[in-house]
Amino acid sequence: DAITWVLPGTFTMPEAESPLVSAVRVAADYFSVVGAKPAMGRDFVEQDATGEQAGAAILSHPFWQQRFGGDPDILGKTLKFSEATLTVVGVMPASFRAPFFTTAELWTVAPRPSTTDLWFARLKPGFTAAQAETGIRGILKQVGEEYPASAARDVVIRELLPGSAANRRLLLILFGSVGFILLMAVINVANLMLSRTLTRHREIAIRAAIGAGRRRLVRQLLTESLL
């Protein structure tokens, strides 16, 4: 349905106490493919890749908070790195975790992919990762026959985005395991409380004999159970 690429690396901020910044160069459509939007500002646009608006950067929420104190006027500010000068155009939500690069601090647009990039794609509805891998392997085989220098290429496709069938199966297994453990714990606690109550019949009889009503005894037992 859609495909994009990323190239991880580091930028150096000379004047900062911690100069190294985890920076990821991406295609302009990267965030739309992975299904995320900036919480502040805008997403990348094609002009950021063509050079008409070169130097755009989107910050991660932790990087914005830690390096800039959550400055609400961060949009439009210029960041100077040894590798490039970038203008902040957006800030990602605090909940966003980039696939593979969960510690990324900023993203910027690169004009073209390289041979070392990682590629991400969004599958069409009803299309599985296995089908995609089979199709791409066929393309690679054809390319290898026409261009022998590219014959060593290979591909492994993994479903990473939320909502995949593999993730649903793992969540069902996890919920089932947790539910079974919780059920065992509830049964054990119920047995312990029943045994404890049965051994207190003399105490309850004495309390009733000196004036405790049924409602008060039930309230005491419920309070103890709740605690």
Side-chain angles (χ1 to χ4, degrees):
D1 188 27
I3 190 168
T4 190
W5 52 267
V6 300
L7 177 62
T10 56
F11 281 179
T12 303
M13 187 179 288
E15 300 178 358
E17 295 182 4
S18 301
L20 294 182
V21 177
S22 176
V24 182
R25 295 181 175 91
V26 299
D29 62 350
Y30 170 74
F31 288 109
S32 62
V33 172
V34 301
K37 295 181 179 180
M40 293 175 52
R42 65 170 176 85
D43 197 350
F44 292 128
V45 294
E46 289 299 329
Q47 288 79 1
D48 295 326
T50 60
E52 297 179 22
Q53 297 179 7
I58 294 178
L59 310 183
S60 71
H61 191 273
F63 184 68
W64 172 56
Q65 290 286 337
Q66 295 167 10
R67 293 293 184 101
F68 305 100
D71 182 6
D73 300 320
I74 190 65
L75 299 180
K77 289 193 174 181
T78 300
L79 307 181
K80 293 184 178 181
F81 300 94
S82 300
E83 295 77 8
T85 299
L86 305 175
T87 300
V88 179
V89 298
V91 178
M92 295 304 293
S95 59
F96 176 69
R97 296 293 181 273
F100 281 122
F101 311 110
T102 57
T103 59
E105 295 176 299
L106 70 85
W107 296 265
T108 186
V109 176
R112 62 181 62 85
S114 70
T115 57
T116 59
D117 292 345
L118 290 175
W119 292 79
F120 291 88
R122 184 175 60 242
L123 294 176
K124 290 183 178 180
F127 204 68
T128 66
Q131 291 173 314
E133 184 169 344
T134 300
I136 293 179
R137 284 184 182 278
I139 295 174
L140 290 178
K141 182 179 179 181
Q142 182 179 354
V143 171
E145 292 173 352
E146 298 181 8
Y147 305 95
S150 302
R153 299 295 178 85
D154 198 1
V155 62
V156 175
I157 295 182
R158 298 177 181 175
E159 292 184 271
L160 296 176
L161 299 184
S164 68
N167 285 343
R168 285 195 293 269
R169 285 194 298 271
L170 289 175
L171 285 175
L172 287 175
I173 293 172
L174 176 62
F175 285 141
S177 301
V178 172
F180 179 75
I181 294 173
L182 179 60
L183 177 62
M184 295 300 295
V186 169
I187 292 174
N188 288 335
V189 172
N191 287 333
L192 290 173
M193 293 177 63
L194 180 60
S195 300
R196 182 169 180 267
T197 302
L198 291 176
T199 59
R200 297 177 62 191
H201 65 278
R202 182 169 180 174
E203 173 197 341
I204 294 174
I206 293 174
R207 290 180 181 274
I210 61 177
R214 179 176 298 179
R215 180 177 298 180
R216 184 164 185 173
L217 291 173
V218 170
R219 187 167 64 244
Q220 176 189 344
L221 293 175
L222 287 177
T223 303
E224 293 174 354
S225 300
L226 179 62
L227 292 174

